[in-house]
Amino acid sequence: MDQMPGSSADVLPVPASRLAAALSVTTVPAFVTGAWSLGMPVLWVNRAFEELGGVGIEELALLGPNSLLALVEDDPQRTAAQEDLKAGRAMRRIVSTRRSDGRTTWLQVDVTPLPTDHGLPEYWVGVTTDVSEYVDQQAAQLASLEVERRQRADLDLIAQTTDLLGDLEYPFALRDIADLLRSLVPWAGFYVNDDGLLFAEGVDVASPPSGRGRRHTRYVPEDRTHDRLEPALTGDVSEVPEPVVDDVQQLLDGAVDGPVRLSLEGRFDPSSAAGWLRRDLMHRVVAETGAVPREAVVHAVAGRRRVLGLLVTWDGDEPVPESGPAPGLDHVSTVVEVVARRAGTAIDNARLYAREHRLAEALQRAMLPEQADVTGLDVWTYYAPNAEHAQVGGDWYDVLQIADGTVGLVIGDVVGHDVEAAAAMGQLRSVVRAYAYELTTPGTVLDRVDQLVAGMRVPRPASMVYAALQHRTEDDSWGLEYTRAGHLPPLLLRDGGTRLLNGAGGMLVGFGNEPRETGHEVLRRGDVLVFYTDGLIERRDRSLKRGLETLTEMSGRITARDAAGVGEELLSRLADSPEDDVAIVVVRVPDPEADHRVTALSPRSRRWLLPSEPASIGRARHAVLRTSQAWGLAESAAAELVVSELVANGVLHGWGNIALRLFDTGDGLRIEVEDSNPAPPVATDGHPNRLGGFGMQIVERLADWGWRPSASGKLVWAKLRPDLTSGSGPA
């Protein structure tokens, strides 16, 4: 049978000597071994193999069976490869070896059995290929992917901490951030520096930041004079303890930037920051992880001008090489440092934010009059800043007892919600007060205010209503004169009807170019005047005109017969979720004939803001009597006595404004009095050598009572017992 051209029969055979010569001179390392059962002894290697490994056939022969394994440094697939060789199958794997010049090289090794007619192969041929460049590229790619993965994880962690720091009113914000960091280290925790270090799970944003360099004084220092003197007296000066630098205190003082490493095996003064922190860390880490730490890393949580606290991590006592931090530890330190810096900025911002808010609110409340005590009229006032604003605004009011039978009423609004608006409001209030006591006609008063404000250059525009009420003894009515400077019209409630007093309008305060007009009205018994700011009716989803229509409509449904009740009904129907500051002044002309009628629909709660002065005790008793009358409760002497004692305690032992609240619980009258002194009330057996001291004993006799902390101090409550509200008083 003829052979086809190009078939294997056309290939001339190469002599064995030629093949051996070719394998010897090729640059590809090659070798021949014996059978697996004999340990695959090396029978032949070419020159390239000798140059690669630095050994020849004689040295390999001296190594005995499996001599090639001695040249391999790393062989991750050794077990699988050995199984292939044992079964007589061709094998390929990647191993590392050390070249004759000392460099490590990665090789791809291919070992193929020579064909045999019987059983397992007796000879194996192997060749190697240098794949170091490929392995290095693959390792670099894997390292790059790992770095990218780690960076993504770090960014995600930092983003989560930023979200938590955005709501520091959440009481466990710092605890949750520490839990996130524990994905990098075995333990992490925050400490705030408020009057000494304190472990913190959250931040009290109302707490003022600690002073720079505040010393840690929670513990009394031990007397270590004996420790220093005894070795010196005995002559063994080598035992004199060296002074230990308090790195933690230096970090708190801002003397070092940090981070610092705190040895938990060292000795520190118990009163020092490092000593206290060491004890607290040992307790917490052992309790939470079961391990005994040797060293912690302390980062400063720094604000703008001072260090506010510390972020402490324990890395499991990983060894740190002499040349610097290991890559993993350096990466962790960077992330923790970023978190510490962001936490410091967020805490500082939140505290400054709260501080500015308290400053502005204190400024405004100091300028607002308290609950007025006006002869012949029932007056109720209310002010509340919008909770959505970081600052308070410029809403204000004033009630002036100018003379017997003459009362001045002012309500106004300065544009803005900041300290500047509150300051402008204070200036206007002072100017209006000065002219109100000097002049009588509202239009004339406002003309003078315009002139003075234009010269003062008050930075914010403002609106205002000023009204004067004059008592007419001949028919027991009240003459009302009023003028408006760009402000919403007062509302008159009479006999179930409502009417806006739209007269005497004009430009904003300071912009009046023409003489101001004065409107006139006569108020009879039972009439109610409502002065208000736009926060009561203004909403994003309705126009101001529609808001006035709603106010008029809702006011026509009011059933309360006292000024406080009218105000409570307006608030409950219109100001459940105000979008701006709200100020209200309600003035009612008493009607002895109608006031005894009780309406069940009237709100069963009342509130007043009283100044911390003795006159507030009488005003509180009057408020209880009027409220009891409006609710149809017996004018109990017990209720008067209880409210007198609670308000008197607030005046004598508290500070700031006193908030009085009354509630009809259905089975008794509940009285609440709040002041700014956080100290709890205490029942005593009287004060030695002087009168008084029995106030809380009297309250205990007449009511069930208690107290609780409040945002500004404390709240004391008393609930009159039903058997004591009949008007008979205590037995």
Side-chain angles (χ1 to χ4, degrees), residues 608-621:
W608 291 265
L609 192 64
L610 307 173
S612 183
E613 59 184 34
S616 294
I617 302 172
R619 296 175 188 172
R621 293 171 66 97

Side-chain angles (χ1 to χ4, degrees), residues 628-649:
S628 297
Q629 182 184 43
W631 289 346
L633 303 177
E635 295 180 356
S636 171
E640 289 186 73
L641 196 53
V642 168
V643 78
S644 295
E645 296 298 337
L646 294 184
V647 174
N649 279 342

Side-chain angles (χ1 to χ4, degrees), residues 393-477:
D395 289 17
W396 58 290
Y397 64 86
D398 211 345
V399 181
L400 311 173
Q401 183 80 58
I402 297 174
D404 289 340
T406 303
V407 178
L409 301 172
V410 190
I411 194 163
D413 186 359
V414 178
V415 174
H417 299 89
D418 51 21
V419 177
E420 188 177 78
M425 175 270 294
Q427 291 178 292
L428 286 175
R429 175 173 175 260
S430 299
V431 170
V432 174
R433 274 200 162 206
Y435 288 131
Y437 281 99
E438 178 184 349
L439 306 172
T440 56
T441 305
T444 306
V445 171
L446 200 51
D447 284 335
R448 297 291 297 274
V449 171
D450 283 335
Q451 296 173 12
L452 191 57
V453 167
M456 291 172 58
R457 299 184 181 275
V458 175
R460 300 291 182 88
S463 63
M464 187 183 72
V465 174
Y466 175 66
L469 287 85
Q470 183 74 41
H471 186 232
R472 299 179 177 181
T473 56
E474 60 273 13
D475 57 357
D476 200 22
S477 64

Side-chain angles (χ1 to χ4, degrees), residues 551-708:
L551 171 64
T552 304
E553 178 184 353
M554 293 297 179
S555 300
R557 305 176 187 176
I558 291 177
T559 59
R561 298 189 182 279
D562 60 317
V566 172
E568 294 289 353
E569 285 199 46
L570 286 174
L571 290 175
S572 63
R573 295 179 181 184
L574 295 171
D576 52 344
S577 56
E579 297 175 359
D580 199 354
D581 308 326
V582 177
I584 305 176
V585 177
V586 179
V587 181
R588 182 176 182 274
V589 180
D591 184 0
E593 296 181 1
D595 288 349
H596 69 278
R597 298 182 225 157
V598 178
T599 56
L601 297 178
S602 177
R604 315 301 277 187
S605 64
R606 300 287 189 270
R607 74 191 91 173
W608 291 265
L609 192 64
L610 307 173
S612 183
E613 59 184 34
S616 294
I617 302 172
R619 296 175 188 172
R621 293 171 66 97
H622 182 71
V624 167
L625 286 175
R626 182 162 288 173
T627 301
S628 297
Q629 182 184 43
W631 289 346
L633 303 177
E635 295 180 356
S636 171
E640 289 186 73
L641 196 53
V642 168
V643 78
S644 295
E645 296 298 337
L646 294 184
V647 174
N649 279 342
V651 171
L652 292 174
H653 307 296
W655 56 78
N657 298 322
I658 297 175
L660 169 64
R661 302 180 186 90
L662 304 177
F663 302 90
D664 180 9
T665 64
D667 60 349
L669 182 66
R670 178 184 173 95
I671 302 170
E672 293 184 356
V673 175
E674 183 177 358
D675 62 55
S676 297
N677 185 356
V682 179
T684 66
D685 293 327
H687 301 306
N689 303 321
R690 61 189 177 93
L691 296 176
F694 298 98
M696 296 313 297
Q697 286 193 18
I698 296 173
V699 174
E700 282 183 345
R701 180 76 182 276
L702 302 176
D704 300 318
W705 74 279
W707 77 281
R708 68 173 185 270

Side-chain angles (χ1 to χ4, degrees), residues 90 106 214 240 256 276 384 416 541 701:
W106 286 91
R214 181 184 294 276
V240 177
V256 296
W276 183 88
D541 58 351
R701 180 76 182 276

